[in-house]
Amino acid sequence: MALIPTATYQAPDIPHREFHPGDGPHTTSGTTTQISDHVINAGGEDRDKPTPHKDTPMGNLRAQLTTLQDQLNVFLTERMKLDKQGKSNEQELERKILDEAEDEEED
Amino acid sequence: MTDKLPYKVTLSIPFETHEQATIAKNTLSPDPIVKSVDEFNIEYEINDNILQILFSGASNRIIRVTISNTIDNLKTILECIDEFEGKQDHLFEIDGEKFTG
């Protein structure tokens, strides 16, 4: 029996979103948990690289969990960027309102 | 009342047995992932052989950090179960010191 890890996400603007590792292939080398591309491109070696998974239920679960971790990390990083963007838009709007109020006072 | 921790992720990890799910829960639960209880909460539940972990946070950022950290720990637990479950302890010596494992 395959052991498949899943996740659900919920936020004020997203009532329900599901994550499923999919058909694969799955490995233990996560794209979001390895050393940075910059270091790899400079010839660096990831000394903490995880061992490859065995073809056992626990081994395959570990590989699938790595895929799920990548999916969650990518999604949440994107959401963090949007949060940051939203905050800076709010600040920009606040600055505009304050500037306009000052201009009106000067008039 | 507004929810102070409105960002939520539920992770469902199926194990082969209830005992494995319990081992994972008992390994993860004693260590707090972050200090701030105002910004984050984590709950563990076991239903049969499935370990469910509910993360609730004040932001996407704290959810992102705590989930990735927990999954890293879970992967180590899975690897340990895969390597050592069902194996008999045996006595061995290193530099005259006796160990079991």
Side-chain angles (χ1 to χ4, degrees):
Chain A
M1 186 188 73
L3 304 172
I4 299 166
T6 56
T8 58
Y9 172 84
Q10 197 188 321
D13 58 331
I14 300 181
H16 187 84
R17 158 107 195 224
E18 288 192 15
F19 293 85
H20 188 286
D23 295 334
H26 305 286
T27 74
T28 54
S29 300
T31 53
T32 58
T33 47
Q34 63 185 1
I35 56 172
S36 76
D37 288 342
H38 184 73
V39 178
I40 291 172
N41 293 339
E45 185 196 344
D46 189 354
R47 291 182 186 175
D48 290 327
K49 203 173 168 182
T51 53
H53 67 287
K54 290 182 184 173
D55 189 15
T56 58
M58 286 286 107
N60 289 319
L61 175 59
R62 185 160 68 95
Q64 297 208 53
L65 192 54
T66 306
T67 303
L68 191 70
Q69 183 180 27
D70 279 341
Q71 290 175 355
L72 287 165
N73 282 345
V74 168
F75 173 76
L76 290 168
T77 304
E78 199 54 43
R79 295 277 296 161
M80 281 165 61
K81 276 186 205 161
L82 291 173
D83 289 347
K84 205 175 169 186
Q85 210 177 319
K87 265 185 198 158
S88 65
N89 286 349
E90 267 176 38
Q91 281 167 351
E92 178 69 14
L93 185 67
E94 196 178 337
R95 195 184 58 77
K96 266 187 186 173
I97 292 169
L98 289 173
D99 283 353
E100 280 168 16
E102 271 180 23
D103 289 346
E104 277 173 20
E105 274 177 23
E106 281 170 13
D107 294 343
Chain B
M1 201 182 86
T2 50
D3 188 352
K4 287 181 180 171
L5 305 176
Y7 298 89
K8 298 177 198 301
V9 171
T10 305
L11 205 54
S12 296
I13 313 294
F15 286 82
E16 287 176 291
T17 63
H18 177 81
E19 193 193 1
Q20 289 174 345
T22 308
I23 289 170
K25 179 188 169 213
N26 292 344
T27 309
L28 291 170
S29 57
D31 296 320
I33 309 169
V34 286
K35 283 181 186 168
S36 173
V37 288
D38 294 336
E39 279 190 77
F40 177 73
N41 185 52
I42 187 164
E43 286 168 34
Y44 301 90
E45 251 180 49
I46 295 177
N47 294 312
D48 295 329
N49 60 325
I50 298 172
L51 172 64
Q52 283 204 318
I53 311 174
L54 171 65
F55 302 80
S56 307
S59 65
N60 282 308
R61 184 187 59 82
I62 200 152
I63 291 285
R64 160 78 168 77
V65 171
T66 52
I67 284 187
S68 201
N69 180 295
T70 302
I71 292 180
D72 279 341
N73 290 336
L74 260 170
K75 290 192 296 188
T76 305
I77 294 166
L78 292 176
E79 193 173 4
C80 286
I81 292 174
D82 208 17
E83 287 294 328
F84 300 118
E85 191 181 53
K87 290 188 179 162
Q88 295 267 326
D89 278 1
H90 67 281
L91 202 66
F92 61 97
E93 270 188 39
I94 300 174
D95 296 335
E97 289 270 349
K98 287 183 178 170
F99 300 91
T100 56

